[in-house]
Amino acid sequence: MICPKCGRKYEDDMPKCLWCDAPNPKRNKETEEVYESSEFSETAESEDEGKPRKGTLIFWMSIILGEAGVHCFMSGRTLRGWLYLIFGGVAFGFWVGFLSPLEIYFPVAVHFIMYFTSIAVTVLTCIDAWKIAHGKYTNTKKGFNYTGATWMTVITILSIVFSAAYTSISFVGHAKSGFLNIESYNKDLREKSIKKTSKGDSESIAAVIETYILKQEQFFKSENKLGRFKEIGFADTTVSMYFQIQDLGAGIGVTYKSMFGCSTNSTWLYTTSIQDGKLTWYTSAPQDENCKEAFPKLYILTPNSECVNQE
């Protein structure tokens, strides 16, 4: 670079002349061009920020994953997205499907509320899809609308018809099965639990009690006294998530630990005592009709009312 003021030469990238401090006109011109270019790009970007964007992707998200709130998260509506996810049909179906195999059921009031909130989310999702199809759905974070199309309107209408038909059929089915009747609903849950537990655990527990009674009687005949589990050689090897076995010393206790089919902590006692050299058995059982229906085998155990020592 040759200085236009003093005529001496210096490097092109230097901001000014080394000899006379005159500014480098070439360097200043490049700086101005870079500044003007960046200023233009920022202005163009800010102007482009509010322009409508193609709504194809977010539309399909509202149709396919709308009840999970995906399209809400995409458009900056985070709170609304979480509400859709928590109260929509996706969460309702997941919890019902996940907990039912574990014999855990929602109370009827909670089930009732969740069912209707899922319907409300379905309706709101259809409204969102309709807005996207007509270019009236806004990205609240970036401030632009999504552009719609005629085919989106057609698919939205089909989706609304399908959702309405499915909801109506589902509602009628729930109503017929007693969904709107608390007593019928609770009875249905109880029967489901009874069906599983009474055929498995209750029969195993009944066999355990019969084994205990036999062991205690054999011990009495030989020792003329009562013994605890370890003394009489009784070992409970049954693993049950519904019942708990207790060593009463002069008997055995069985406590129901679940919550369906029978009252929690309902207890059956099979006790014995020695009277006039004889072993006499006593049975104490819950009078709850639900317990009798759920675990009939625990009510028909009939140990010998008297067992005589043979010495």
Side-chain angles (χ1 to χ4, degrees):
M1 177 66 191
I2 298 176
C3 179
K5 185 176 180 181
C6 66
R8 297 190 179 188
K9 188 176 181 181
Y10 60 90
E11 298 294 333
D12 292 346
D13 59 349
M14 297 186 69
K16 60 183 179 180
C17 178
L18 292 173
W19 318 106
C20 65
D21 290 334
N24 184 340
K26 185 176 179 181
R27 178 71 181 271
N28 291 340
K29 185 177 181 182
E30 290 177 352
T31 303
E32 288 177 2
E33 288 176 353
V34 170
Y35 176 76
E36 289 175 358
S37 176
S38 62
E39 186 178 30
F40 174 78
S41 63
E42 288 178 2
T43 304
E45 186 177 342
S46 62
E47 289 177 355
D48 186 60
E49 201 171 274
K51 290 183 179 180
R53 305 284 178 86
K54 197 171 183 179
T56 304
L57 177 60
I58 195 170
F59 174 78
W60 283 116
M61 290 298 100
S62 69
I63 294 295
I64 300 172
L65 298 173
E67 293 195 21
V70 174
H71 67 288
C72 294
F73 291 115
M74 291 175 63
S75 62
R77 294 171 167 82
T78 305
L79 177 59
R80 188 164 182 165
W82 280 112
L83 292 175
Y84 279 25
L85 183 61
I86 294 171
F87 296 103
V90 173
F92 178 69
F94 171 77
W95 286 114
V96 170
F98 178 75
L99 297 177
S100 293
L102 302 177
E103 296 296 329
I104 300 174
Y105 301 94
F106 292 114
V108 65
V110 176
H111 192 94
F112 192 85
I113 292 171
M114 288 184 68
Y115 178 74
F116 281 99
T117 55
S118 68
I119 293 177
V121 170
T122 300
V123 173
L124 291 173
T125 301
C126 290
I127 293 174
D128 291 343
W130 183 266
K131 286 183 177 180
I132 296 171
H134 289 79
K136 295 181 180 179
Y137 195 77
T138 306
N139 186 311
T140 57
K141 189 175 183 179
K142 297 184 178 179
F144 62 81
N145 280 16
Y146 293 95
T147 58
T150 304
W151 62 268
M152 294 183 185
T153 302
V154 175
I155 292 177
T156 303
I157 293 173
L158 294 175
S159 177
I160 292 172
V161 172
F162 174 80
S163 298
Y166 176 82
T167 302
S168 300
I169 294 171
S170 173
F171 183 84
V172 171
H174 279 301
K176 286 183 177 180
S177 64
F179 176 77
L180 302 179
N181 185 294
I182 294 178
E183 184 178 350
S184 298
Y185 180 77
N186 288 337
K187 183 179 179 181
D188 180 57
L189 297 184
R190 185 170 64 251
E191 288 176 351
K192 287 180 180 178
S193 181
I194 290 171
K195 185 177 180 181
K196 184 173 182 178
T197 60
S198 62
K199 287 186 176 181
D201 277 25
S202 64
E203 292 182 2
S204 299
I205 293 300
V208 167
I209 296 169
E210 289 175 341
T211 302
Y212 168 80
I213 291 171
L214 179 61
K215 292 281 187 182
Q216 189 68 271
E217 289 178 347
Q218 290 173 345
F219 182 78
F220 171 70
K221 288 178 181 180
S222 62
E223 303 294 333
N224 196 29
K225 66 177 183 178
L226 301 175
R228 302 189 74 86
F229 285 0
K230 189 174 182 180
E231 292 178 89
I232 67 176
F234 171 77
D236 175 27
T237 58
T238 303
V239 178
S240 172
M241 62 181 292
Y242 299 102
F243 294 93
Q244 181 180 359
I245 299 294
Q246 299 166 297
D247 183 357
L248 304 178
I252 185 172
V254 178
T255 303
Y256 183 58
K257 304 305 294 183
S258 188
M259 64 181 72
F260 293 104
C262 180
S263 300
T264 304
N265 294 326
S266 294
T267 303
W268 289 258
L269 302 176
Y270 303 90
T271 56
T272 185
S273 64
I274 302 173
Q275 297 181 3
D276 299 328
K278 298 178 181 179
L279 194 62
T280 304
W281 287 95
Y282 306 92
T283 302
S284 174
Q287 297 305 305
D288 187 342
E289 292 298 325
N290 293 331
C291 295
K292 292 180 180 179
E293 181 184 356
F295 314 118
K297 199 152 188 178
L298 297 182
Y299 286 84
I300 60 176
L301 290 173
T302 54
N304 296 330
S305 59
E306 292 184 348
C307 179
V308 182
N309 180 268
Q310 294 179 346
E311 290 184 356

